[in-house]
Amino acid sequence: MTWYSGEGGLTSLAGAVGGAIRDVRRVRRGWHWDTPRPRSWPEQGAVVPAPASDLGWARQEPVRTIRFLIQRGLLLPFTEAMSHPKVEGREWVRDLERPVIFAANHSSHADTSLILHALGDHARERTVVAAAADYWFKRPLLGNIVSLFLNTFPFSRTGGAQAQLHSSSQLLKSGWNLVLCPEGSRSPDGRIQEFKAGVGHLANETGTPVVPMHIRGAYQIMPRGQKLPLPGPVRVRIGKPMAPQSDEGSRQFTARVEKAVRALALEPSQADIQGTWIERWKAMRPRELRYEDTSEELVAVPADASVPSTNEAAPPQSEKPGVRARSAAKTPRASRPKRR
């Protein structure tokens, strides 16, 4: 007998399906969806999202080349056209000799692109951005796209201090600069909030200098809750690198970094934060080497090294056979012997 023949075939199947639908409706009507939970029930545990990866692929080739082309061809021109940012103190990050932590105020989603625009090509190519793991990496596709554009890595804002310290210290030891927003989240009104102690703890544990930065005007471009940016003027001010002292704790150093960022927010230039004009001039001076030609190797001499006076007697040829030093000043053309 087939399932559709007789009284026990199609009729019984329809009855079973109808009974199942009635049971589901009865359970749905009886379930208390929005009512308070009874006191005897155990408390609901927080949903722990799956840990995000360190996104190491975003810091390897050919992804780095693709990101360079995206930033130079799309992100930076769009930032320049929307805000025409005025950058002050770029000489402090022009030729960084070691990795640093960039600590800036956070009032808008446009802060990251403005920071990368202010750093310049040399520092930007070796910079990773700490992004909130519970915001940007809840959806893997969004996290991968942001990492491709901005070279981000997940940073937890709630708990997991040791894991975050380990991943951040590994990036610093690998030669990467870190962009951190010590406020933790965007400011609701554009004013600087209290800094969290994570930046001071990371700087103390790794011995990394912190470069304070302040962004003015980003809140007017894209405040909290706004989806599309609006054009407006922006000023990015960069301060001198700060190093934690030997007797300074994490909270004390964080408070000093916060004070430096607040000082950069003031209109007049702060000499103790941005440096005197002599210090800034020395930071802008190019670091070049002058090479002396010897018979065995090229010896590098710093550009600011003292040059021996012309009045001093030259060493005899017998003391250094086969060595001829190239003079800094060229021999006049008239004094050279003519070839026949």
Side-chain angles (χ1 to χ4, degrees), residues 104-153:
N105 62 313
H106 191 26
S107 60
S108 171
H109 280 325
D111 292 336
T112 303
S113 60
L114 291 170
I115 292 175
L116 296 177
H117 182 278
L119 292 182
D121 294 338
H122 179 74
R124 187 190 312 115
E125 294 177 1
R126 299 295 302 174
T127 299
V128 294
V129 181
D134 58 340
Y135 186 90
W136 294 104
F137 296 94
K138 288 192 302 183
R139 289 169 288 183
L141 179 60
L142 177 62
N144 292 331
I145 293 176
V146 172
S147 300
L148 175 62
F149 275 69
L150 304 176
N151 196 12
T152 59
F153 76 101

Side-chain angles (χ1 to χ4, degrees), residues 3-338:
W3 63 272
Y4 54 83
S5 63
E7 297 180 356
L10 184 60
T11 305
S12 58
L13 178 63
V17 173
I21 295 176
R22 287 192 298 271
D23 293 341
V24 171
R25 288 179 177 177
R26 188 179 298 109
V27 172
R28 185 175 181 273
R29 287 195 303 266
W31 189 265
H32 300 278
W33 297 97
D34 300 325
T35 55
R37 294 168 56 87
R39 295 182 179 180
S40 60
W41 289 14
E43 294 293 335
Q44 289 183 343
V47 178
V48 180
S53 63
D54 60 350
L55 301 174
W57 60 267
R59 298 181 290 273
Q60 298 177 0
E61 292 290 354
V63 181
R64 295 177 59 180
T65 301
I66 297 174
R67 179 169 52 249
F68 175 81
L69 297 177
I70 292 176
Q71 291 181 353
R72 293 302 300 268
L74 181 63
L75 181 64
L76 299 182
F78 180 77
T79 304
E80 179 68 27
M82 291 293 293
S83 59
H84 298 287
K86 179 183 178 182
V87 182
E88 300 179 11
R90 185 176 284 174
E91 59 271 9
W92 294 116
V93 297
R94 182 181 178 184
D95 295 312
L96 293 175
E97 299 179 354
R98 57 173 301 183
V100 298
I101 300 174
F102 298 106
N105 62 313
H106 191 26
S107 60
S108 171
H109 280 325
D111 292 336
T112 303
S113 60
L114 291 170
I115 292 175
L116 296 177
H117 182 278
L119 292 182
D121 294 338
H122 179 74
R124 187 190 312 115
E125 294 177 1
R126 299 295 302 174
T127 299
V128 294
V129 181
D134 58 340
Y135 186 90
W136 294 104
F137 296 94
K138 288 192 302 183
R139 289 169 288 183
L141 179 60
L142 177 62
N144 292 331
I145 293 176
V146 172
S147 300
L148 175 62
F149 275 69
L150 304 176
N151 196 12
T152 59
F153 76 101
F155 193 89
S156 176
R157 297 184 291 186
T158 56
Q162 293 298 328
Q164 301 304 322
L165 176 63
H166 177 72
S167 60
S168 302
S169 61
Q170 290 297 323
L171 291 172
L172 290 171
K173 293 177 181 178
S174 301
W176 293 93
N177 306 312
L178 262 62
V179 175
L180 295 179
C181 296
E183 296 175 73
S185 60
R186 289 170 293 169
S187 173
D189 53 4
R191 293 181 293 182
I192 301 177
Q193 303 179 93
E194 183 181 359
F195 282 14
K196 301 185 183 301
V199 60
H201 182 64
L202 181 61
N204 267 327
E205 292 295 329
T206 59
T208 305
V210 176
V211 177
M213 301 181 65
H214 180 265
I215 307 170
R216 187 188 67 180
Y219 181 77
Q220 287 72 21
I221 290 180
M222 196 174 181
R224 192 170 185 173
Q226 183 171 316
K227 302 300 182 181
L228 298 177
L230 299 175
V234 172
R235 185 203 66 188
V236 181
R237 183 173 284 179
I238 305 173
K240 286 194 306 184
M242 306 170 57
Q245 301 176 0
S246 57
D247 57 344
E248 194 173 23
S250 299
R251 295 188 180 275
Q252 289 77 9
F253 182 63
T254 301
R256 189 155 63 93
V257 173
E258 179 182 353
K259 182 179 178 181
V261 175
R262 292 182 182 273
L264 291 174
L266 302 177
E267 289 299 328
S269 178
Q270 302 294 314
D272 56 339
I273 302 300
Q274 287 192 280
T276 61
W277 68 271
I278 298 179
E279 293 176 335
R280 299 176 68 178
W281 174 75
K282 290 182 178 180
M284 294 177 62
R285 185 173 54 183
R287 298 178 176 90
E288 297 180 354
L289 297 177
R290 185 178 71 252
Y291 291 91
E292 293 187 357
D293 188 9
T294 64
S295 60
E296 298 179 356
E297 60 181 356
L298 291 176
V299 181
V301 180
D304 55 352
S306 60
V307 180
S309 175
T310 56
N311 297 329
E312 297 179 1
Q317 295 292 335
S318 59
E319 295 181 3
K320 296 182 179 180
V323 178
R324 183 182 60 183
R326 181 180 299 175
S327 176
K330 295 183 179 180
T331 307
R333 185 178 299 272
S335 62
R336 296 177 183 174
K338 297 182 179 180

